[in-house]
Amino acid sequence: MDRTLVLGLGGTVDYELTWDSSVFDRLAHAHGVRRHELTTTAPITDERSLLVAVLAFVASGAGAERFVASSEVIEAFVSHFTYAVTLGGTGVRAGLVLDAFGISSVQHLVSIDDNVRRLLPESISYICSATDDTLDPHLIVQYPVGAHVRLTDGDVLSPAPNRLIFANDPPNRRMLLAADLPVALADAGVFLVSGFNTMQDHDLLELRLAEVHRAMRSLPSDALGYYEDAGFYTRDFAETVRARLLPQIDVYGMNEDELQEYLGRSVNLLDTADVVRALREVHMIIPARALVVHTRYWAIAVGPDAARHRAALDSAVRVAATRYRVGDALTAAEVDSTATMTRHGGGEALVVAVEDALADALGIAAFSLDVASPTTIGLGDTFVGGFLAGTVRAKEDA
């Protein structure tokens, strides 16, 4: 594709914590955490409340994104652990996937510092609305299945691997747009929109959405608009974003956690009747031309344009599975290796049944992978990058 891929709207600097049950044991005992205190909904104001939230999510096996009172809380918490400094944000991680395929992109950033300059590959250029360097790290906690933490009155044991995100990021809350965004979009073949989930001022959100709407007028008529959902700090804001952007979006993506948040109930991801009902319900809430739900067992698109994205959806599943296998060592060759592996039997059966039940559904089964230390950080962002890579390749092959 000769046209630009513009990915936004905000990147992050991530502190990726290395899971260490012994450190969690020590912290849990130092803070006297008990099982009845575990909650995923209480405000996170200090090291202890952050610890309680992490352990509550680990006990449930769920992934989530939560607001923290200050970056100092994150700095204090992470000081107990070994951690890596990486780049995050849906746009940036999707751009890193594209880089692995030799595809360049343009990032729209709202903050910048030497970490970003050092870690961005040469194939990724950027426009940025920030006038000064700032650092407000996002804490990423990846935990394995069977993660075991001992409390004073019992144990926490994770039923599944997952990842958690904790942040207080003023630049991403403000989401100031770069003045040259409309110029960048004028020659774009793809525009990825994400990141509104961290905003907490509704009037400011409305303003930014209006600005994005105006900027998108510069897009060529055949450009692909992709919106990726996320864990909104203020859940009601998701409806505002949806109402303002949906008419301009071609593909609307979300993961299994976000699906269940929208529905207000859990979904058995391998039960055909439950999944069909869930897809019907969520598509009524979000009547996108192609609504993509990606889960650990399958990815399914529903809507009148779903069939157009088969190659992109298949690419997305393969690329996300590859990151699950090899983490940051993801390459095009590793993605090709993933393609030879066995698909998840339950996922395959469910996709067939859903396609039979829903006329406008298209599904791809996930892979059945037995990985000793899987990577769960950035899987959704990697899925998006794989989808966009598949879109580019499909247009090049057409």
Side-chain angles (χ1 to χ4, degrees):
M1 180 188 284
D2 294 330
R3 305 253 290 278
T4 308
L5 284 77
V6 181
L7 314 179
L9 290 163
T12 66
V13 173
D14 292 348
Y15 289 173
E16 294 188 13
L17 180 148
T18 299
W19 181 267
D20 188 333
S21 291
S22 65
V23 177
F24 277 102
D25 288 349
R26 177 170 55 79
L27 289 175
H29 281 267
H31 288 292
V33 177
R34 296 180 177 275
R35 282 200 59 89
H36 75 271
E37 295 181 272
L38 300 187
T39 176
T40 62
T41 59
I44 300 173
T45 58
D46 54 20
E47 182 177 278
R48 188 181 195 278
S49 53
L50 176 53
L51 174 64
V52 167
V54 170
L55 296 178
F57 280 114
V58 169
S60 70
E65 186 165 350
R66 289 292 183 269
F67 178 71
V68 178
S70 71
S71 293
E72 286 74 17
V73 173
I74 290 172
E75 296 280 4
F77 187 84
V78 80
S79 68
H80 299 286
F81 297 87
T82 300
Y83 64 96
V85 179
T86 63
L87 298 183
T90 297
V92 173
R93 287 193 185 275
L96 295 175
V97 170
L98 293 168
D99 175 69
F101 287 96
I103 301 171
S104 60
S105 63
V106 177
Q107 294 290 330
H108 178 282
L109 302 176
V110 296
S111 60
I112 191 78
D113 81 326
D114 285 341
N115 291 297
V116 178
R117 298 185 186 96
R118 172 173 55 87
L119 294 173
L120 273 182
E122 291 185 2
S123 72
I124 300 179
S125 58
Y126 63 86
I127 57 177
C128 183
S129 61
T131 56
D132 299 299
D133 282 18
T134 56
L135 174 60
D136 293 284
H138 291 217
L139 171 63
I140 315 295
V141 180
Q142 174 180 263
Y143 61 87
V145 62
H148 184 200
V149 180
R150 296 175 177 85
L151 309 185
T152 58
D153 62 344
D155 292 351
V156 169
L157 190 68
S158 66
N162 220 314
R163 67 91 182 98
L164 306 168
I165 303 173
F166 300 94
N168 184 322
D169 190 336
N172 273 284
R173 286 206 305 279
R174 288 192 295 270
M175 199 59 72
L176 181 65
L177 299 187
D180 41 357
L181 177 59
V183 175
L185 294 181
D187 190 41
V190 169
F191 182 36
L192 169 64
V193 181
S194 65
F196 286 119
N197 60 301
T198 63
M199 296 190 70
Q200 295 178 304
D201 181 317
H202 192 266
D203 289 341
L204 186 58
L205 174 64
E206 290 276 18
L207 175 62
R208 295 293 182 252
L209 288 167
E211 291 170 347
V212 170
H213 190 279
R214 286 195 294 272
M216 290 181 74
R217 293 174 185 166
S218 300
L219 279 170
S221 59
D222 61 344
L224 177 78
Y226 191 117
Y227 175 79
E228 182 66 11
D229 210 311
F232 274 77
Y233 293 174
T234 305
R235 190 69 247 175
D236 292 346
F237 284 14
E239 183 177 354
T240 301
V241 174
R242 187 168 66 249
R244 302 294 180 268
L245 289 185
L246 197 56
Q248 295 176 287
I249 296 299
D250 300 293
V251 180
Y252 192 114
M254 69 176 65
N255 67 21
E256 61 200 68
D257 296 321
E258 291 139 15
L259 168 69
Q260 291 168 122
E261 278 195 43
Y262 275 114
L263 299 180
R265 63 179 175 83
S266 62
V267 177
N268 184 337
L269 299 174
L270 291 176
D271 180 271
T272 300
D274 204 11
V275 170
V276 167
R277 181 163 68 100
L279 292 173
R280 282 177 173 151
E281 290 176 4
V282 76
H283 198 217
M284 287 182 66
I285 297 170
I286 307 169
R289 294 193 284 274
L291 176 64
V292 174
V293 180
H294 43 97
T295 79
R296 70 192 73 184
Y297 302 119
W298 44 261
I300 295 175
V302 294
D305 290 351
R308 293 176 48 193
H309 302 292
R310 176 178 291 278
L313 197 65
D314 184 61
S315 172
V317 170
R318 283 186 282 112
V319 172
T322 304
R323 177 164 177 81
Y324 183 85
R325 287 199 307 112
V326 303
D328 291 335
L330 187 149
T331 62
E334 288 288 0
V335 174
D336 289 340
S337 295
T338 298
T340 67
M341 297 178 181
T342 303
R343 300 277 179 168
H344 189 281
E348 286 184 314
L350 185 129
V351 163
V352 170
V354 169
E355 289 181 341
D356 286 343
L358 299 176
D360 62 351
L362 165 69
I364 302 292
F367 291 85
S368 180
L369 302 174
D370 184 8
V371 180
S373 299
T375 297
T376 55
I377 299 169
L379 288 182
D381 304 336
T382 301
F383 179 95
V384 174
F387 191 101
L388 299 182
T391 297
V392 171
R393 286 176 155 185
K395 289 189 175 183
E396 291 174 343
D397 295 340

